[in-house]
Amino acid sequence: MKQPSVELRLPILPNMELIATQTAEVISRHMNLTDDQGAEISMALIEACINAFEHSKAENNVFINFLIEDDSLVIKVIDQGIGFDKTKVEIPKIENKIGKDERKRGWGLQLIQELMDSVEFESNGEGTTVTMKKNIKH
Amino acid sequence: MSDFITNVKENNSIVIIETNGYLNNVGGEAVSTLVYEKMAQGNTKFLINMAGTKIVNSIGVSILIEIIEKLQEVNGKIGYYNLAPIVAKTFNIMGLTKYSTVHETEEAAVNEL
């Protein structure tokens, strides 16, 4: 039997990421995830959406697919922006930001990787897909 | 006062800011505007009661890093209390806990800052 899934299409407008987190909360409860797991998923989703909204320079919608599997929740955040080269994204360190001219932002990928069990990026000139997975630990 | 900041008070010369809702760029800028106004008046110690803020994003938290940087210039301090677990975890991942402090309660925060 095909695994259940939920699909969202978000316009690029302020705070639309919160629609994604509300959906994630409902799915987390359905899957009996712990409060901490649900909060980590929501936080990672916020960062993936913000990246898609802000950094992709996408003019279209951002698509989010939630795939409910037996032992995990898989979330794909898909934009149709200009893409990015992950190898050129530096791991941020606060020591390099405090008291220096460096911009204070740029934490999204780091947070997603810390909060989810696995993260994969596929990106080219026609868009980016971030695939994030949270394993179920009951 | 913005919708994000619900109350501002002083306790033992520490400015205590209570927040409510999503700490995003708008919320972060509301806090930084207030802190910089208070710094101009001579205040150097700040606490944020985040009991009403269960959700944050990295842009809002990055503005807290800017505040920490400004406070370092005047030997000031900032701390936080009543953090939701995911907010505390986010602060830890981003390294804020190396340059500012997390407390359990207002009383502990005022004593420890």
Side-chain angles (χ1 to χ4, degrees), chain A residues 1 16-17 26 28 30 38 40 42 48 61 74 83 89 101 108 126 129:
Chain A
M1 182 181 142
M16 282 295 128
E17 66 274 17
V26 173
S28 295
H30 167 77
E40 289 169 2
S42 289
N61 298 299
V74 177
V89 179
D101 227 4
E126 296 180 346
T129 298

Side-chain angles (χ1 to χ4, degrees), chain A residues 11-23:
Chain A
I12 300 178
L13 294 172
N15 293 341
M16 282 295 128
E17 66 274 17
L18 297 183
I19 292 176
T21 65
Q22 288 168 6
T23 304

Side-chain angles (χ1 to χ4, degrees), chain A residues 116-130:
Chain A
M116 300 299 280
D117 291 311
S118 71
V119 186
E120 293 176 7
F121 303 91
E122 296 169 63
S123 192
N124 58 39
E126 296 180 346
T128 299
T129 298
V130 179

Side-chain angles (χ1 to χ4, degrees), chain A residues 15 17-18 21 36 39-40 43 46-47 50 54 94-95 97-100 104-108 110-111 114-115, chain B residues 22 24-25 55-59 61-63 65-66 68-69 72 85-86 89-90 93-99:
Chain A
N15 293 341
E17 66 274 17
L18 297 183
T21 65
D36 283 349
E40 289 169 2
M43 183 70 203
I46 283 173
E47 295 302 322
I50 288 173
E54 291 208 334
I94 196 167
E95 294 86 346
K97 293 181 180 287
I98 291 265
K100 298 181 180 167
K104 311 306 176 209
R105 290 173 54 176
W107 296 89
Q110 173 81 350
L111 282 165
E114 292 272 356
L115 294 169
Chain B
Y22 185 25
N24 56 6
N25 58 322
I55 194 161
V56 302
N57 71 28
S58 63
I59 301 172
V61 180
S62 295
I63 295 172
I65 295 176
E66 293 173 2
I68 292 169
E69 190 172 57
Q72 283 190 336
I86 187 61
K89 187 164 190 172
T90 300
I93 293 169
M94 292 177 64
L96 269 75
T97 46
K98 296 177 183 174
Y99 294 91

Side-chain angles (χ1 to χ4, degrees), chain A:
Chain A
M1 182 181 142
K2 189 179 176 185
Q3 298 287 10
S5 64
V6 177
E7 298 179 9
L8 291 181
R9 182 180 67 197
L10 299 181
I12 300 178
L13 294 172
N15 293 341
M16 282 295 128
E17 66 274 17
L18 297 183
I19 292 176
T21 65
Q22 288 168 6
T23 304
E25 286 169 16
V26 173
I27 293 170
S28 295
R29 282 197 294 274
H30 167 77
M31 298 179 73
N32 292 321
L33 301 184
T34 66
D35 289 347
D36 283 349
Q37 286 176 315
E40 289 169 2
I41 290 165
S42 289
M43 183 70 203
L45 193 48
I46 283 173
E47 295 302 322
C49 287
I50 288 173
N51 279 352
F53 293 163
E54 291 208 334
H55 302 314
S56 70
K57 297 184 172 57
E59 293 178 356
N60 300 313
N61 298 299
V62 169
F63 298 87
I64 304 173
N65 295 341
F66 298 86
L67 309 172
I68 301 169
E69 300 187 339
D70 291 339
D71 57 358
S72 66
L73 173 62
V74 177
I75 304 172
K76 291 180 180 284
V77 179
I78 304 157
D79 69 60
Q80 296 166 320
I82 60 172
F84 78 108
D85 183 351
K86 187 176 180 297
T87 62
K88 292 184 178 171
V89 179
E90 290 184 11
I91 296 172
K93 287 187 177 177
I94 196 167
E95 294 86 346
N96 297 334
K97 293 181 180 287
I98 291 265
K100 298 181 180 167
D101 227 4
E102 189 167 325
R103 68 195 281 270
K104 311 306 176 209
R105 290 173 54 176
W107 296 89
L109 297 186
Q110 173 81 350
L111 282 165
I112 293 167
Q113 288 175 320
E114 292 272 356
L115 294 169
M116 300 299 280
D117 291 311
S118 71
V119 186
E120 293 176 7
F121 303 91
E122 296 169 63
S123 192
N124 58 39
E126 296 180 346
T128 299
T129 298
V130 179
T131 303
M132 315 184 287
K133 186 175 185 179
K134 186 66 128 178
N135 297 325
I136 296 176
K137 300 168 201 162
H138 291 298

